[in-house]
Amino acid sequence: MTEEAATRRHVYGRTKGKTLKSRQANLMETLFPRVSISLEEAQIDPRKLFGGAVDDVWLEVGFGGGEHIAWQAAQNPRVGFLGCEPFINGVAKLVSEIDERGLPNIRIHADDARFLLERLAPASLARVFILYPDPWPKLRHNKRRFVNEETLALISTALKPGGELRFASDIPEYVAWTLKRVAEHNALGKSRFVWKNKDLSECRDRPEDWPQTRYEQKALREGREPAYLRFAHEA
């Protein structure tokens, strides 16, 4: 791995916050081990994580407090969900949601999504979500952004033909960054992410199957307009 790639693999930002509530702490000891994804195998068939009881598998990068992935799991019981989040308090919130709502179709990787993506069997995912990733707005920090050449290649390998990549951000510069990185990936000619919208004006309305999160509500209150990008994967 190059020095630049190693730098990108470093998990920036907080991984721990306030002390967990007693119930959350208890569930992290009892339930979390049962839904946690092990990276011991060199290659992971994600459907096997659910005992083969799902038709498709979707992955969410950085699920935050888990509102989106929990909603999707409840609405799509025949889909298995892989949630990646290094912030332990967010993980604990999702584990609590799994317990309270009885969601058997969620598995959690409590670390950087790239470590899981590189282990997944090729063409094993039907959908990937990258919703409101940290924008790292300072120029010297841009290399920390999740969307880059390496991660797009990993996602392209893991997504099946016809699969979908969904991206959302309330930072216009990060939206432009993502479109540029996708175009650069496509130019390599190995695979393509085809933007489903004609232009950004068509990306302002949140699709009905795209639930609102607390972060999005905060962005709207503060006057920032999100963009919702959808890309079809062509191998």
Side-chain angles (χ1 to χ4, degrees):
M1 183 184 297
T2 65
E3 181 178 351
E4 182 181 0
T7 297
R8 289 200 301 269
R9 288 296 182 89
H10 181 80
V11 178
Y12 293 95
R14 297 186 305 161
T15 57
K16 293 182 181 180
K18 296 179 180 179
T19 302
L20 298 179
K21 298 177 181 178
S22 59
R23 180 176 178 275
Q24 290 179 328
N26 179 63
L27 287 172
M28 288 297 289
E29 292 183 1
T30 56
L31 179 56
F32 175 67
R34 303 203 300 270
V35 299
S36 178
I37 301 171
S38 170
L39 299 185
E40 292 182 357
E41 296 184 19
Q43 187 174 94
I44 299 171
D45 178 352
R47 289 187 64 187
K48 291 183 178 179
L49 298 175
F50 305 93
V54 297
D55 300 324
D56 278 315
V57 179
W58 299 354
L59 180 146
E60 181 166 349
V61 174
F63 58 72
E67 305 105 307
H68 175 270
I69 192 171
W71 186 93
Q72 292 285 3
Q75 297 297 313
N76 300 279
R78 292 294 302 176
V79 175
F81 288 84
L82 310 181
C84 304
E85 176 59 58
F87 186 51
I88 194 64
N89 296 68
V91 172
K93 287 181 180 179
L94 180 56
V95 171
S96 295
E97 284 290 303
I98 293 172
D99 180 62
E100 290 176 6
R101 302 172 66 172
L103 300 172
N105 54 333
I106 296 178
R107 299 294 181 268
I108 299 174
H109 172 58
D111 205 336
D112 192 294
R114 288 167 291 193
F115 299 131
L116 176 59
L117 280 167
E118 65 187 5
R119 299 291 185 93
L120 293 178
S124 60
L125 299 178
R127 188 172 294 179
V128 173
F129 302 92
I130 307 174
L131 308 182
Y132 300 99
D134 194 320
W136 296 108
K138 293 183 179 179
L139 183 60
R140 67 177 185 274
H141 291 160
N142 282 178
K143 61 185 178 182
R144 300 180 181 180
R145 289 175 170 173
F146 187 83
V147 177
N148 56 48
E149 178 183 347
E150 177 197 11
T151 53
L152 287 175
L154 289 172
I155 292 170
S156 178
T157 298
L159 266 179
K160 63 177 61 177
E164 184 175 79
L165 170 62
R166 292 189 174 189
F167 174 90
S169 178
D170 58 321
I171 308 298
E173 196 273 330
Y174 200 177
V175 174
W177 164 285
T178 297
L179 291 171
K180 181 178 180 181
R181 295 303 175 276
V182 167
E184 291 171 349
H185 171 87
N186 292 347
L188 296 175
K190 296 180 180 179
S191 65
R192 288 175 52 81
F193 291 103
V194 180
W195 191 18
K196 290 187 173 183
N197 309 97
K198 294 180 180 178
D199 53 52
L200 282 174
S201 66
E202 295 186 355
C203 301
R204 299 303 178 186
D205 295 325
R206 178 168 44 82
E208 291 183 0
D209 65 342
W210 198 321
Q212 192 175 63
T213 64
R214 283 177 293 175
Y215 185 90
E216 180 183 315
Q217 292 172 351
K218 181 175 184 290
L220 292 170
R221 286 197 306 271
E222 296 175 357
R224 298 190 302 276
E225 185 178 19
Y228 311 92
L229 309 183
R230 301 170 65 188
F231 302 91
H233 181 242
E234 293 183 355

